Amino acid sequence: MDAPKPHYLKLKHYILRQITHGDWKPHERVPSENELVKKFGISRMTVNRALRELTDSGILVRAQGVGTFVAGPKAESAMFEVRSIRDEIQSRGQVHSVRVLTCEAVLARAAVSAQFELDAGSELFHTRLLHNADGKPLQLEDRFVNPRCAPEYLGLDFSHELPHPYLMRVAPLQRAEHAIEADIAHKRAAAQLALKEGDPLLVLIRRTWSRGRVASYVRLTSPAAQYRFVGSFEVG
């Protein structure tokens, strides 16, 4: 059984959720240490550690004698529009590069196979890519692909063609499903994204369909201090 999370990590998760869900907006003052101590029934030292680490990560800004505030805007990714990370980075005038961490065919675990509406042990293609902006890590892309939708996927030269534009070409988008989660960087993700363990992360989980099948299931993980997801839609 996993050990319970320390109180300061629980508080960091709570604060991050308030920000990612839009309850606490950029430049808005967050509750004081005393208010958080009373609300959660934890020590002032624990609250101070959570706020200090979120400030060090760039999520919060602390002004002496004034208070603690949500930091200003970060690099943005369109939530509702399925878009290439390379296009997003280049649109900001930065240079995109990619490092391939994993590229293999796997017999998928039940939890992953279920995302494709397939039986456990079904063959899927699996890639893990690290996307950099001006040489600095910005996003981990952990993707599973249905071989029936993109049989040549593992043969791609990802420095030339990324998964997104390739899949749009060979498995035209029919529909997409998105979810956003807050997370904390564990040892491997922290090392790959050049973060400290416990730093806050934003995770966008996306499934795409093509020709009646789930074509791709991907987790896009970014440092919360550098990134945010935005989206808009029209009614009627």
Side-chain angles (χ1 to χ4, degrees), residues 130-159:
L130 178 63
H131 297 282
N132 303 292
D134 287 344
K136 296 181 180 179
L138 183 64
Q139 186 177 90
L140 274 172
E141 174 185 327
D142 191 345
R143 184 185 298 270
F144 291 88
V145 171
N146 189 335
R148 297 182 67 181
C149 297
E152 306 300 322
Y153 178 73
L154 293 183
L156 283 181
D157 177 358
F158 293 111
S159 64

Side-chain angles (χ1 to χ4, degrees), residues 200-220:
L201 301 172
L202 283 179
V203 183
L204 174 63
I205 303 167
R206 174 184 289 149
R207 280 199 299 172
T208 56
W209 280 257
S210 181
R211 302 185 179 101
R213 294 191 181 98
V214 178
S216 176
Y217 171 66
V218 63
R219 291 175 61 90
L220 305 172

Side-chain angles (χ1 to χ4, degrees), residues 23-53:
D23 297 324
W24 296 356
K25 296 178 172 41
H27 309 299
E28 182 177 322
R29 185 182 180 277
V30 306
S32 68
E33 288 189 9
N34 287 337
E35 290 169 327
L36 292 170
V37 166
K38 291 178 182 178
K39 180 178 179 66
F40 291 97
I42 55 181
S43 71
R44 188 182 183 91
M45 183 180 298
T46 299
V47 171
N48 182 270
R49 177 175 178 179
L51 295 179
R52 184 179 70 251
E53 291 190 3

Side-chain angles (χ1 to χ4, degrees), residues 30-196:
V30 306
S32 68
E33 288 189 9
N34 287 337
E35 290 169 327
L36 292 170
V37 166
K38 291 178 182 178
K39 180 178 179 66
F40 291 97
I42 55 181
S43 71
R44 188 182 183 91
M45 183 180 298
T46 299
V47 171
N48 182 270
R49 177 175 178 179
L51 295 179
R52 184 179 70 251
E53 291 190 3
L54 287 171
T55 300
D56 291 343
S57 299
I59 301 297
L60 302 176
V61 176
R62 306 183 81 174
Q64 186 68 34
V66 179
T68 303
F69 301 83
V70 179
K74 310 171 182 70
E76 296 182 352
S77 176
M79 177 181 169
F80 299 114
E81 179 185 357
V82 181
R83 198 176 167 202
S84 168
I85 182 68
R86 176 175 286 160
D87 291 344
E88 292 175 7
I89 289 172
Q90 291 178 343
S91 72
R92 298 192 290 270
Q94 297 177 299
V95 175
H96 170 269
S97 60
V98 62
R99 181 157 64 96
V100 179
L101 305 176
T102 301
C103 183
E104 62 186 357
V106 297
L107 300 181
R109 302 186 309 274
V112 175
S113 296
Q115 299 293 334
F116 288 83
E117 301 165 2
L118 298 172
D119 295 332
S122 296
E123 184 183 59
L124 295 171
F125 295 152
H126 180 215
T127 54
R128 295 181 72 252
L129 307 180
L130 178 63
H131 297 282
N132 303 292
D134 287 344
K136 296 181 180 179
L138 183 64
Q139 186 177 90
L140 274 172
E141 174 185 327
D142 191 345
R143 184 185 298 270
F144 291 88
V145 171
N146 189 335
R148 297 182 67 181
C149 297
E152 306 300 322
Y153 178 73
L154 293 183
L156 283 181
D157 177 358
F158 293 111
S159 64
H160 174 68
E161 185 167 24
L162 295 181
H164 168 74
Y166 173 77
L167 291 171
M168 292 301 98
R169 179 163 56 84
V170 302
L173 182 64
Q174 182 180 11
R175 70 184 179 100
E177 171 187 276
H178 303 81
I180 289 182
E181 296 179 352
D183 203 356
I184 295 293
H186 299 292
K187 187 173 183 179
R188 184 171 72 163
Q192 291 168 340
L193 288 168
L195 302 173
K196 295 184 297 184

